[in-house]
Amino acid sequence: MKIEYNSRNIEKICTNASAAEKKYGSEMAKKIQLRIDQIRASDSVEQMIQFHIGRCHPLTGNRKNQYAVDLVHPQRLVFKKIGDEIQIVNILEIIDYH
């Protein structure tokens, strides 16, 4: 899938390992890069859910139409999909929404 970012800040964290490590530490930086690679390699969000890639799951309530994958507990990488035929994900944030 193609990946877009909601802000320059989240893009920098997701694409620059040293920026991610500086903000979140090395374990979290590795996990962020792993999840970005998994999203990029997947054909669709539905495929990620079906094969439990990153424990991908749809969110509910005020986060309806958004999805999350696990990072270092309790943090999640939250995104939404754009389009159905050719899927693009828009990374929204890294957050503990619990």
XYZ file of all heavy atoms in Angstrom:
798
model
N 0.844 -1.180 0.000
C 0.000 0.000 0.000
C 0.884 1.235 0.000
O 2.019 1.191 0.451
C -0.890 0.019 1.251
C -2.037 -0.937 1.202
S -3.159 -0.791 2.627
C -2.171 -1.533 3.895
N 0.320 2.294 -0.457
C 0.993 3.584 -0.416
C 0.703 4.230 0.943
O -0.364 4.046 1.501
C 0.467 4.462 -1.543
C 1.190 5.769 -1.677
C 0.719 6.553 -2.899
C 1.572 7.780 -3.038
N 0.898 9.012 -2.840
N 1.675 4.983 1.447
C 1.516 5.614 2.751
C 1.616 7.128 2.620
O 2.512 7.638 1.956
C 2.588 5.115 3.742
C 2.449 3.610 3.944
C 2.484 5.849 5.067
C 3.531 2.998 4.810
N 0.667 7.816 3.242
C 0.703 9.270 3.386
C 0.728 9.566 4.879
O 0.421 8.703 5.692
C -0.529 9.916 2.746
C -0.595 9.741 1.244
C -1.836 10.358 0.627
O -2.742 10.793 1.371
O -1.915 10.391 -0.602
N 1.076 10.804 5.208
C 1.183 11.171 6.619
C 0.328 12.392 6.893
O 0.233 13.286 6.068
C 2.648 11.431 6.984
C 3.494 10.201 6.759
C 4.143 9.991 5.546
C 3.610 9.238 7.742
C 4.893 8.849 5.328
C 4.362 8.089 7.537
C 5.001 7.907 6.326
O 5.732 6.773 6.114
N -0.273 12.418 8.071
C -1.170 13.495 8.467
C -0.425 14.801 8.747
O -0.999 15.869 8.615
C -1.976 13.066 9.693
C -3.247 13.839 9.854
O -3.942 14.080 8.868
N -3.559 14.241 11.063
N 0.843 14.695 9.134
C 1.637 15.890 9.429
C 3.107 15.613 9.125
O 3.518 14.460 9.017
C 1.485 16.290 10.902
O 2.106 15.320 11.733
N 3.883 16.661 9.017
C 5.319 16.513 8.780
C 5.997 15.871 9.982
O 6.958 15.124 9.837
C 5.952 17.865 8.482
C 5.435 18.449 7.180
C 6.227 19.628 6.774
N 6.885 19.199 5.532
C 7.809 19.874 4.917
N 8.222 21.011 5.402
N 8.333 19.431 3.802
N 5.497 16.160 11.173
C 6.072 15.595 12.387
C 5.938 14.073 12.407
O 6.905 13.362 12.670
C 5.414 16.215 13.623
C 6.075 15.785 14.904
O 7.285 15.662 14.976
N 5.266 15.542 15.924
N 4.742 13.561 12.128
C 4.536 12.110 12.131
C 5.310 11.463 10.982
O 5.837 10.364 11.118
C 3.033 11.728 12.129
C 2.845 10.244 12.484
C 2.379 12.002 10.814
C 3.067 9.934 13.911
N 5.418 12.153 9.852
C 6.200 11.631 8.728
C 7.670 11.489 9.122
O 8.305 10.475 8.831
C 6.067 12.541 7.511
C 6.852 12.051 6.311
C 6.663 12.894 5.078
O 6.058 13.987 5.157
O 7.128 12.457 4.005
N 8.192 12.493 9.794
C 9.595 12.455 10.214
C 9.842 11.282 11.164
O 10.829 10.557 11.030
C 9.973 13.770 10.886
C 11.432 13.863 11.259
C 11.762 15.228 11.825
C 13.234 15.303 12.189
N 13.585 16.608 12.749
N 8.947 11.069 12.100
C 9.103 9.971 13.054
C 9.006 8.619 12.362
O 9.746 7.694 12.683
C 8.066 10.095 14.188
C 8.447 11.281 15.081
C 7.965 8.817 14.994
C 7.390 11.688 16.054
N 8.114 8.500 11.381
C 7.909 7.225 10.701
C 8.959 6.939 9.627
O 9.108 5.787 9.222
C 6.514 7.179 10.077
S 5.186 7.094 11.295
N 9.667 7.946 9.161
C 10.629 7.745 8.083
C 12.076 7.979 8.498
O 12.991 7.664 7.751
C 10.307 8.655 6.879
O 10.339 10.019 7.302
C 8.953 8.322 6.287
N 12.306 8.522 9.684
C 13.655 8.831 10.148
C 13.887 8.106 11.477
O 13.360 8.505 12.514
C 13.802 10.349 10.304
C 15.188 10.772 10.704
O 15.879 10.079 11.444
N 15.590 11.940 10.225
N 14.688 7.043 11.413
C 14.903 6.206 12.600
C 15.497 6.983 13.765
O 15.117 6.776 14.916
C 15.795 5.023 12.243
N 16.411 7.909 13.485
C 17.030 8.652 14.591
C 16.036 9.599 15.247
O 16.065 9.784 16.466
C 18.275 9.402 14.120
O 17.960 10.346 13.134
N 15.116 10.172 14.466
C 14.083 11.040 15.046
C 13.138 10.223 15.917
O 12.745 10.656 17.005
C 13.311 11.756 13.947
N 12.777 9.030 15.454
C 11.890 8.157 16.233
C 12.583 7.699 17.517
O 11.977 7.691 18.589
C 11.478 6.952 15.403
N 13.857 7.358 17.411
C 14.595 6.906 18.588
C 14.766 8.030 19.605
O 14.647 7.808 20.808
C 15.964 6.363 18.171
C 16.678 5.665 19.285
C 17.898 4.902 18.817
O 18.026 4.633 17.607
O 18.714 4.572 19.687
N 14.998 9.222 19.112
C 15.160 10.379 19.998
C 13.878 10.649 20.788
O 13.910 10.950 21.978
C 15.548 11.605 19.175
C 15.840 12.833 20.001
C 16.296 13.973 19.099
C 16.564 15.229 19.907
N 16.992 16.343 19.071
N 12.727 10.513 20.124
C 11.454 10.821 20.769
C 10.929 9.662 21.618
O 10.371 9.877 22.687
C 10.420 11.218 19.728
C 9.080 11.576 20.343
C 8.198 12.367 19.436
C 6.918 12.675 20.158
N 6.403 13.968 19.905
N 11.083 8.406 21.125
C 10.437 7.264 21.774
C 11.378 6.189 22.320
O 10.912 5.278 23.001
C 9.473 6.582 20.789
C 8.294 7.432 20.409
C 8.211 8.016 19.156
C 7.246 7.646 21.298
C 7.120 8.783 18.793
C 6.156 8.404 20.948
C 6.095 8.971 19.693
O 5.018 9.733 19.334
N 12.658 6.233 21.979
C 13.580 5.185 22.399
C 13.782 4.153 21.305
O 13.012 4.075 20.346
N 14.810 3.317 21.453
C 15.193 2.404 20.368
C 14.178 1.284 20.124
O 13.908 0.933 18.976
C 16.577 1.815 20.618
O 16.570 0.968 21.725
N 13.604 0.715 21.179
C 12.628 -0.366 20.982
C 11.415 0.128 20.198
O 10.951 -0.527 19.262
C 12.187 -0.932 22.336
C 11.241 -2.105 22.205
C 10.761 -2.646 23.542
O 11.119 -2.100 24.595
O 9.990 -3.622 23.515
N 10.909 1.282 20.567
C 9.750 1.863 19.887
C 10.114 2.242 18.450
O 9.317 2.017 17.532
C 9.271 3.084 20.672
C 8.061 3.720 20.088
S 6.578 2.819 20.521
C 5.446 4.179 20.496
N 11.292 2.802 18.223
C 11.717 3.184 16.870
C 11.761 1.967 15.952
O 11.312 2.030 14.803
C 13.071 3.875 16.922
N 12.264 0.847 16.461
C 12.308 -0.383 15.663
C 10.906 -0.878 15.345
O 10.625 -1.321 14.232
C 13.081 -1.468 16.415
C 14.558 -1.215 16.485
C 15.248 -2.273 17.332
C 16.700 -1.893 17.565
N 17.365 -2.808 18.501
N 10.017 -0.792 16.318
C 8.640 -1.254 16.126
C 7.898 -0.368 15.119
O 7.155 -0.873 14.283
C 7.904 -1.278 17.464
C 6.615 -2.052 17.445
C 6.806 -3.525 17.221
C 7.020 -4.223 18.523
N 6.796 -5.669 18.437
N 8.124 0.937 15.183
C 7.498 1.853 14.223
C 7.944 1.498 12.810
O 7.122 1.379 11.899
C 7.831 3.328 14.555
C 7.137 3.763 15.840
C 7.454 4.255 13.388
C 7.622 5.093 16.403
N 9.252 1.288 12.621
C 9.767 0.957 11.289
C 9.215 -0.372 10.800
O 8.853 -0.514 9.630
C 11.299 0.926 11.295
C 11.884 0.808 9.902
C 11.441 1.921 8.983
O 11.602 3.089 9.292
N 10.846 1.590 7.854
N 9.104 -1.354 11.700
C 8.527 -2.647 11.347
C 7.095 -2.482 10.852
O 6.716 -3.039 9.811
C 8.560 -3.588 12.547
C 7.837 -4.927 12.373
C 8.539 -5.790 11.343
C 7.737 -5.645 13.713
N 6.287 -1.720 11.587
C 4.879 -1.540 11.199
C 4.752 -0.779 9.870
O 3.905 -1.123 9.038
C 4.102 -0.818 12.296
C 4.032 -1.583 13.594
C 3.404 -2.953 13.440
N 3.315 -3.599 14.742
C 3.610 -4.865 14.954
N 3.980 -5.646 13.964
N 3.517 -5.371 16.168
N 5.582 0.230 9.661
C 5.547 0.966 8.388
C 5.894 0.016 7.241
O 5.231 0.016 6.193
C 6.503 2.185 8.427
C 6.026 3.227 9.441
C 6.682 2.796 7.047
C 4.683 3.859 9.133
N 6.909 -0.818 7.433
C 7.295 -1.797 6.407
C 6.171 -2.792 6.146
O 5.912 -3.164 5.003
C 8.566 -2.540 6.817
C 9.806 -1.653 6.798
O 9.764 -0.551 6.206
O 10.825 -2.071 7.403
N 5.487 -3.240 7.194
C 4.377 -4.183 7.037
C 3.210 -3.549 6.286
O 2.590 -4.201 5.439
C 3.910 -4.691 8.400
C 4.896 -5.621 9.057
C 4.508 -5.980 10.475
O 3.864 -5.206 11.188
N 4.904 -7.172 10.911
N 2.902 -2.300 6.601
C 1.824 -1.603 5.894
C 2.181 -1.474 4.419
O 1.376 -1.764 3.536
C 1.543 -0.222 6.524
C 0.919 -0.386 7.906
C 0.642 0.621 5.618
C 0.840 0.898 8.721
N 3.397 -1.041 4.151
C 3.849 -0.847 2.765
C 3.789 -2.161 1.983
O 3.425 -2.182 0.814
C 5.262 -0.274 2.762
C 5.703 0.233 1.429
C 7.034 0.970 1.479
N 6.831 2.305 2.032
C 7.458 2.785 3.108
N 8.337 2.047 3.742
N 7.216 3.997 3.540
N 4.119 -3.285 2.616
C 4.163 -4.580 1.947
C 2.782 -5.214 1.758
O 2.619 -6.098 0.917
C 5.053 -5.535 2.728
N 1.802 -4.770 2.504
C 0.455 -5.341 2.418
C -0.291 -4.797 1.206
O -0.061 -3.676 0.774
C -0.339 -5.023 3.682
O 0.264 -5.626 4.793
N -1.222 -5.613 0.707
C -2.056 -5.191 -0.421
C -3.237 -4.350 0.020
O -3.720 -3.509 -0.729
C -2.581 -6.411 -1.191
C -1.460 -7.161 -1.901
O -0.481 -6.513 -2.322
O -1.574 -8.391 -2.028
N -3.735 -4.598 1.248
C -4.907 -3.872 1.732
C -4.966 -3.915 3.251
O -4.337 -4.770 3.883
C -6.191 -4.486 1.163
O -6.388 -5.769 1.706
N -5.759 -3.024 3.803
C -5.988 -3.026 5.253
C -6.712 -4.315 5.643
O -6.411 -4.920 6.666
C -6.796 -1.779 5.683
C -7.178 -1.849 7.150
C -6.014 -0.509 5.394
N -7.631 -4.750 4.800
C -8.367 -5.986 5.076
C -7.422 -7.182 5.170
O -7.618 -8.069 6.005
C -9.436 -6.222 3.997
C -10.594 -5.244 4.042
C -10.257 -3.844 3.503
O -9.270 -3.690 2.753
O -10.984 -2.904 3.852
N -6.388 -7.207 4.335
C -5.396 -8.273 4.393
C -4.641 -8.231 5.734
O -4.397 -9.259 6.346
C -4.401 -8.140 3.240
C -3.330 -9.210 3.234
C -2.280 -8.961 2.175
O -1.772 -7.854 2.031
N -1.970 -10.008 1.419
N -4.324 -7.035 6.194
C -3.637 -6.891 7.472
C -4.508 -7.412 8.618
O -4.018 -8.071 9.531
C -3.256 -5.433 7.716
C -2.174 -4.932 6.789
S -1.707 -3.242 7.145
C -0.948 -3.424 8.759
N -5.809 -7.114 8.558
C -6.738 -7.584 9.591
C -6.873 -9.110 9.520
O -6.789 -9.799 10.530
C -8.114 -6.896 9.448
C -7.982 -5.409 9.758
C -9.151 -7.557 10.351
C -9.205 -4.585 9.396
N -7.055 -9.633 8.307
C -7.255 -11.070 8.114
C -6.079 -11.883 8.636
O -6.261 -12.908 9.282
C -7.466 -11.371 6.632
C -7.632 -12.843 6.325
C -7.751 -13.124 4.842
O -7.744 -12.217 4.019
N -7.851 -14.388 4.479
N -4.855 -11.432 8.375
C -3.673 -12.184 8.782
C -3.061 -11.677 10.090
O -1.954 -12.053 10.445
C -2.641 -12.183 7.654
C -3.118 -12.939 6.439
C -3.476 -12.252 5.292
C -3.242 -14.313 6.466
C -3.930 -12.930 4.170
C -3.706 -15.012 5.350
C -4.052 -14.321 4.198
N -3.785 -10.810 10.787
C -3.376 -10.285 12.098
C -1.994 -9.629 12.054
O -1.207 -9.778 12.992
C -3.405 -11.385 13.165
C -4.712 -12.108 13.227
N -5.846 -11.523 13.727
C -5.071 -13.352 12.826
C -6.853 -12.383 13.639
N -6.403 -13.485 13.096
N -1.701 -8.929 10.991
C -0.414 -8.260 10.834
C -0.374 -7.064 11.782
O -1.177 -6.144 11.663
C -0.188 -7.823 9.371
C -0.155 -9.051 8.470
C 1.098 -7.011 9.242
C -0.176 -8.765 6.995
N 0.528 -7.108 12.735
C 0.629 -6.038 13.722
C -0.578 -5.936 14.626
O -0.801 -4.912 15.253
N -1.372 -6.996 14.660
C -2.652 -6.995 15.381
C -3.523 -5.833 14.914
O -4.143 -5.129 15.697
C -2.440 -6.959 16.906
C -3.533 -7.693 17.659
C -3.268 -7.781 19.147
N -3.411 -6.520 19.836
C -4.583 -5.969 20.178
N -5.706 -6.562 19.874
N -4.612 -4.816 20.818
N -3.552 -5.664 13.604
C -4.341 -4.585 12.988
C -5.817 -4.792 13.315
O -6.344 -5.895 13.198
C -4.132 -4.587 11.479
S -4.937 -3.214 10.633
N -6.474 -3.699 13.722
C -7.885 -3.794 14.072
C -8.580 -2.456 13.832
O -7.968 -1.404 13.957
C -8.065 -4.239 15.527
C -7.337 -3.389 16.513
N -5.987 -3.504 16.757
C -7.770 -2.399 17.331
C -5.629 -2.628 17.669
N -6.686 -1.935 18.035
N -9.871 -2.516 13.454
C -10.642 -1.280 13.279
C -10.993 -0.691 14.639
O -11.181 -1.418 15.612
C -11.898 -1.735 12.532
C -12.025 -3.182 12.841
C -10.646 -3.710 13.101
N -11.086 0.619 14.689
C -11.453 1.312 15.926
C -12.924 1.697 15.881
O -13.544 1.715 14.812
C -10.553 2.529 16.118
C -9.049 2.224 16.176
C -8.246 3.507 16.309
C -8.728 1.274 17.306
N -13.475 2.021 17.025
C -14.901 2.345 17.117
C -15.084 3.690 17.821
O -14.125 4.335 18.212
C -15.650 1.249 17.899
O -15.081 1.133 19.199
C -15.571 -0.094 17.192
N -16.332 4.057 18.012
C -16.653 5.300 18.722
C -16.193 6.515 17.934
O -16.433 6.611 16.730
N -15.530 7.442 18.623
C -15.104 8.668 17.945
C -13.908 8.427 17.018
O -13.458 9.340 16.343
C -14.772 9.771 18.968
C -13.608 9.410 19.875
O -13.213 8.249 19.959
N -13.078 10.395 20.556
N -13.407 7.208 16.960
C -12.324 6.848 16.043
C -12.818 5.901 14.941
O -12.038 5.180 14.331
C -11.169 6.217 16.806
C -10.438 7.225 17.669
C -9.153 6.643 18.192
N -8.379 7.634 18.903
C -7.486 8.441 18.335
N -7.272 8.382 17.040
N -6.819 9.310 19.059
N -14.130 5.924 14.672
C -14.706 5.096 13.615
C -14.024 5.442 12.294
O -13.681 6.586 12.041
C -16.215 5.352 13.526
C -16.896 4.409 12.573
C -18.385 4.586 12.591
C -18.936 3.661 11.525
N -20.310 3.413 11.627
N -13.829 4.436 11.448
C -13.140 4.543 10.151
C -11.634 4.713 10.306
O -10.959 5.089 9.361
C -13.719 5.662 9.278
C -15.173 5.425 8.947
O -15.572 4.283 8.696
N -15.972 6.473 8.966
N -11.122 4.456 11.494
C -9.683 4.450 11.727
C -9.265 3.042 12.135
O -10.087 2.239 12.572
C -9.292 5.446 12.828
C -9.550 6.882 12.465
C -9.164 7.843 13.583
O -8.658 7.460 14.625
N -9.424 9.122 13.355
N -7.991 2.759 11.955
C -7.432 1.452 12.283
C -6.183 1.661 13.133
O -5.589 2.733 13.107
C -7.055 0.686 11.006
C -8.228 0.466 10.094
C -8.623 1.435 9.189
C -8.964 -0.719 10.156
C -9.717 1.251 8.362
C -10.058 -0.912 9.327
C -10.432 0.074 8.435
O -11.514 -0.121 7.629
N -5.782 0.613 13.850
C -4.581 0.708 14.677
C -3.779 -0.577 14.584
O -4.334 -1.663 14.387
C -4.951 0.982 16.128
N -2.462 -0.432 14.714
C -1.562 -1.567 14.869
C -0.776 -1.349 16.152
O -0.526 -0.211 16.555
C -0.616 -1.757 13.662
C -1.373 -2.231 12.440
C 0.150 -0.494 13.333
N -0.394 -2.447 16.783
C 0.341 -2.371 18.038
C 1.763 -1.880 17.823
O 2.412 -2.241 16.844
C 0.420 -3.748 18.698
C -0.901 -4.211 19.260
O -1.866 -3.431 19.249
O -0.960 -5.366 19.726
N 2.230 -1.101 18.765
C 3.640 -0.731 18.851
C 4.121 -1.308 20.180
O 3.793 -2.433 20.500
C 3.807 0.790 18.766
C 3.407 1.420 17.414
C 3.442 2.923 17.483
C 4.300 0.912 16.303
N 4.859 -0.557 20.953
C 5.236 -1.000 22.297
C 4.075 -0.641 23.222
O 3.658 0.519 23.263
C 6.554 -0.319 22.750
C 6.876 -0.691 24.181
C 7.696 -0.710 21.818
N 3.559 -1.641 23.917
C 2.370 -1.435 24.759
C 2.549 -0.230 25.684
O 3.579 -0.096 26.299
C 2.101 -2.692 25.587
C 0.836 -2.622 26.375
N -0.393 -2.734 25.780
C 0.614 -2.398 27.682
C -1.325 -2.600 26.716
N -0.729 -2.399 27.877
N 1.592 0.667 25.763
C 0.239 0.657 25.216
C 0.100 1.518 23.950
O -1.000 1.848 23.552
C -0.566 1.267 26.362
C 0.359 2.307 26.928
C 1.747 1.692 26.802
N 1.205 1.884 23.330
C 1.163 2.776 22.172
C 0.642 2.058 20.925
O 0.871 0.864 20.734
C 2.564 3.326 21.881
C 3.172 4.117 23.017
C 2.454 5.439 23.232
O 2.020 6.099 22.301
N 2.339 5.829 24.489
N -0.044 2.811 20.084
C -0.585 2.304 18.821
C -0.265 3.284 17.699
O -0.202 4.496 17.913
C -2.114 2.152 18.881
C -2.634 1.276 19.999
C -2.338 -0.194 19.746
N -2.992 -1.048 20.710
C -2.447 -1.463 21.841
N -1.231 -1.087 22.169
N -3.097 -2.254 22.655
N -0.115 2.751 16.491
C 0.016 3.554 15.287
C -1.375 3.598 14.667
O -1.927 2.563 14.290
C 1.020 2.914 14.328
C 1.285 3.648 13.029
C 2.040 4.945 13.309
C 2.088 2.785 12.088
N -1.975 4.771 14.605
C -3.359 4.930 14.143
C -3.340 5.498 12.723
O -2.611 6.438 12.431
C -4.143 5.870 15.088
C -5.559 6.075 14.590
C -4.151 5.309 16.507
N -4.179 4.903 11.859
C -4.261 5.362 10.471
C -5.671 5.178 9.942
O -6.506 4.518 10.559
C -3.249 4.614 9.594
C -3.456 3.125 9.535
C -4.226 2.549 8.541
C -2.865 2.300 10.474
C -4.406 1.172 8.483
C -3.033 0.919 10.433
C -3.810 0.359 9.431
N -5.931 5.795 8.805
C -7.196 5.571 8.107
C -6.859 5.225 6.671
O -5.777 5.554 6.170
C -8.108 6.793 8.181
C -7.577 8.029 7.504
C -8.534 9.194 7.647
C -7.943 10.436 6.985
N -8.829 11.582 7.095
N -7.779 4.517 6.010
C -7.522 4.174 4.618
C -8.221 5.166 3.706
O -9.277 5.710 4.035
C -7.917 2.740 4.313
C -9.385 2.452 4.282
C -9.613 1.002 3.905
C -11.088 0.724 3.735
N -11.356 -0.615 3.240
N -7.596 5.376 2.570
C -8.135 6.281 1.561
C -8.337 5.454 0.304
O -7.387 4.870 -0.220
C -7.163 7.450 1.281
C -6.880 8.214 2.572
C -7.711 8.359 0.191
C -5.769 9.222 2.466
N -9.561 5.373 -0.179
C -9.860 4.622 -1.399
C -10.077 3.148 -1.137
O -9.675 2.612 -0.112
N -10.713 2.479 -2.087
C -10.988 1.058 -1.960
C -10.222 0.232 -2.991
O -9.707 -0.828 -2.685
C -12.493 0.788 -2.093
C -13.265 1.321 -0.900
O -12.753 1.218 0.227
O -14.374 1.838 -1.098
N -10.171 0.702 -4.223
C -9.485 -0.043 -5.275
C -7.982 -0.045 -5.028
O -7.390 -1.064 -4.765
C -9.789 0.595 -6.640
C -11.261 0.621 -6.993
C -11.694 -0.634 -7.702
O -10.874 -1.220 -8.411
O -12.857 -1.027 -7.546
N -7.370 1.109 -5.113
C -5.958 1.266 -4.804
C -5.907 1.878 -3.416
O -6.309 3.016 -3.223
C -5.253 2.188 -5.821
C -5.357 1.584 -7.216
C -3.822 2.424 -5.420
C -4.881 2.483 -8.314
N -5.451 1.115 -2.462
C -5.516 1.595 -1.086
C -4.295 2.428 -0.716
O -3.166 2.081 -1.038
C -5.675 0.434 -0.123
C -7.044 -0.184 -0.242
C -7.416 -0.977 0.986
O -6.700 -1.073 1.953
N -8.589 -1.575 0.924
N -4.587 3.509 -0.050
C -3.582 4.400 0.507
C -3.920 4.538 1.972
O -5.089 4.719 2.328
C -3.631 5.792 -0.173
C -3.400 5.661 -1.672
C -2.634 6.741 0.464
C -3.679 6.930 -2.443
N -2.928 4.439 2.849
C -3.192 4.685 4.258
C -2.600 6.024 4.644
O -1.558 6.427 4.158
C -2.658 3.579 5.192
C -3.327 2.261 4.888
C -1.171 3.432 5.119
N -3.327 6.728 5.484
C -2.886 8.025 5.990
C -2.580 7.833 7.473
O -3.482 7.641 8.276
C -3.986 9.069 5.777
C -3.577 10.448 6.209
O -2.471 10.665 6.692
N -4.462 11.398 6.032
N -1.285 7.859 7.821
C -0.872 7.695 9.206
C -1.276 8.949 9.972
O -0.868 10.048 9.624
C 0.653 7.481 9.319
C 1.130 6.306 8.445
C 1.068 7.309 10.784
C 0.659 4.959 8.849
N -2.094 8.783 11.004
C -2.602 9.919 11.763
C -1.745 10.261 12.958
O -1.386 11.426 13.157
C -4.036 9.625 12.229
C -5.052 9.365 11.125
C -6.384 8.943 11.712
C -5.216 10.597 10.251
N -1.430 9.271 13.805
C -0.703 9.576 15.012
C -0.197 8.325 15.693
O -0.609 7.219 15.373
C -1.590 10.350 15.993
C -2.854 9.610 16.402
C -3.817 10.458 17.198
O -3.399 11.440 17.819
O -5.011 10.134 17.184
N 0.697 8.527 16.647
C 1.144 7.482 17.553
C 0.624 7.909 18.919
O 0.916 9.000 19.388
C 2.677 7.384 17.557
C 3.163 6.914 16.180
C 3.147 6.442 18.668
C 4.654 6.967 16.006
N -0.201 7.029 19.510
C -0.914 7.447 20.719
C -1.304 6.245 21.565
O -1.452 5.144 21.060
C -2.178 8.261 20.326
C -2.822 8.915 21.522
C -3.167 7.401 19.569
C -3.870 9.936 21.165
N -1.475 6.481 22.848
C -2.108 5.533 23.749
C -3.537 6.036 23.922
O -3.790 6.941 24.707
C -1.382 5.478 25.100
C -2.126 4.616 26.121
O -3.075 3.908 25.737
O -1.758 4.690 27.302
N -4.492 5.482 23.165
C -5.868 5.966 23.201
C -6.708 5.258 24.242
O -7.907 5.472 24.321
C -6.529 5.864 21.827
C -6.469 4.494 21.211
C -7.274 3.464 21.667
C -5.616 4.223 20.156
C -7.217 2.212 21.111
C -5.552 2.982 19.586
C -6.356 1.965 20.062
O -6.296 0.721 19.499
N -6.122 4.423 25.046
C -6.885 3.674 26.061
C -7.250 4.517 27.241
O -6.621 5.366 27.686
C -6.097 2.457 26.516
C -5.856 1.491 25.415
N -4.643 1.339 24.823
C -6.685 0.654 24.759
C -4.710 0.445 23.863
N -5.949 0.008 23.806
